[in-house]
Amino acid sequence: MESRELNILGVIYIVKEVDTVNKANPRRGEINYLTNEIRIDKNMPKSLKEQVLMHEILHAVFDLLGLDELAEDEEKVQSIATALHHVFST
């Protein structure tokens, strides 16, 4: 399992690339606010991993800023993540 630290607004999150993100609810990525851990499916192409990581980073940012409603809105988080990933990958 690969892992690295990521500083998000002064809070250290551990990013782990794993075989299975969540056995109960299959998904590409997941953030745990209590353990400051982000889990990403390691079997995806690099570009998709980057986009999923951006999505999880945005969850953390919105949570840390106290924007709970936005942090829980998957459609908005995904839209912003897709846009930012496109900006930074071109």
Side-chain angles (χ1 to χ4, degrees), residues 14 47 90:
I14 304 299
S47 179
T90 57

Side-chain angles (χ1 to χ4, degrees), residues 4-54:
R4 65 179 189 257
E5 289 187 353
L6 187 61
N7 184 326
I8 303 174
L9 300 178
V11 176
I12 301 299
Y13 278 80
I14 304 299
V15 179
K16 295 181 179 178
E17 290 191 24
V18 298
D19 284 317
T20 304
V21 173
N22 184 318
K23 291 179 184 176
N25 298 311
R27 56 186 65 164
R28 295 177 177 155
E30 182 174 82
I31 186 166
N32 184 319
Y33 300 113
L34 298 177
T35 62
N36 293 353
E37 183 177 278
I38 295 173
R39 296 165 56 89
I40 303 292
D41 185 328
K42 73 177 187 179
N43 301 305
M44 297 182 291
K46 182 178 184 254
S47 179
L48 186 53
K49 281 187 210 177
E50 292 168 350
Q51 186 177 16
V52 171
L53 180 58
M54 180 69 73

Side-chain angles (χ1 to χ4, degrees), residues 49-67:
K49 281 187 210 177
E50 292 168 350
Q51 186 177 16
V52 171
L53 180 58
M54 180 69 73
H55 177 103
E56 300 308 331
I57 289 169
L58 286 171
H59 277 299
V61 167
F62 296 146
D63 178 70
L64 291 167
L65 292 175
L67 302 171

Side-chain angles (χ1 to χ4, degrees), residues 60-76:
V61 167
F62 296 146
D63 178 70
L64 291 167
L65 292 175
L67 302 171
D68 298 337
E69 199 171 300
L70 186 53
E72 295 172 13
D73 188 326
E74 287 296 326
E75 282 186 26
K76 287 181 183 168

